[in-house]
């Protein structure tokens, strides 16, 4: 969330996320949400890539607190990736996705 907020029910998990926070949505699972006017950066990551690192951890509806340093690091990485993604070669893109998944895992598990 860059600006605005999201409120919802993510498969029976009550979710509230605001600016600077990161909210994970598993598009294969049920969720209903309301979003306020604002700005969001959205990134789709293959479930297999996340599952390889996180295993069976349920991150659907997980919100990473904006005040935590790992959340800030992940946010900065996502913004940087978004800024250069169209310029990366295929092998660079794969490597960047792997690095991103490692940062996700550290942020989710701490």
């Amino acid at each position: 969330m860059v600006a605005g907020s999201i409120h919802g029910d993510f498969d029976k998990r009550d979710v509230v996320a605001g600016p600077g926070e990161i909210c994970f949505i598993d598009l294969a699972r049920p969720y209903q949400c309301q979003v306020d006017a604002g700005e969001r950066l959205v990134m789709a990551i293959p479930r297999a890539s996340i599952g390889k690192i996180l295993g069976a951890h349920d991150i659907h509806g997980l919100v990473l607190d904006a005040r935590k340093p790992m959340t800030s690091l992940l946010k900065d990485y996502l913004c940087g990736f978004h800024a250069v993604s169209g310029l990366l070669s295929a092998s660079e893109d794969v490597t960047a996705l792997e690095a991103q998944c490692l940062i996700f895992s550290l942020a989710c598990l701490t």
Side-chain angles (χ1 to χ4, degrees):
M1 302 294 301
V2 177
S5 64
I6 184 171
H7 304 95
D9 177 337
F10 286 55
D11 205 6
K12 300 185 172 75
R13 179 182 275 177
D14 188 34
V15 172
V16 177
E21 294 183 312
I22 298 173
C23 179
F24 292 88
I25 303 172
D26 183 338
L27 297 176
R29 295 188 46 201
Y31 71 98
Q32 294 181 345
C33 62
Q34 295 178 320
V35 293
D36 297 333
E39 182 180 352
R40 290 137 193 81
L41 177 62
V42 178
M43 178 165 229
I45 300 169
R47 185 177 293 107
S49 297
I50 297 289
K52 194 177 355 175
I53 294 170
L54 292 178
H57 284 84
D58 181 11
I59 62 169
H60 181 54
L62 174 68
V63 176
L64 301 181
D65 187 333
R67 297 169 293 184
K68 290 189 172 184
M70 287 304 296
T71 304
S72 181
L73 176 63
L74 181 54
K75 176 188 66 91
D76 290 346
Y77 187 88
L78 290 171
C79 289
F81 179 80
H82 178 70
V84 301
S85 63
L87 306 172
L88 298 175
S89 69
S91 63
E92 290 170 332
D93 189 58
V94 168
T95 301
L97 178 60
E98 289 172 357
Q100 177 183 305
C101 288
L102 287 172
I103 297 169
F104 275 149
S105 68
L106 291 172
C108 291
L109 299 176
T110 57

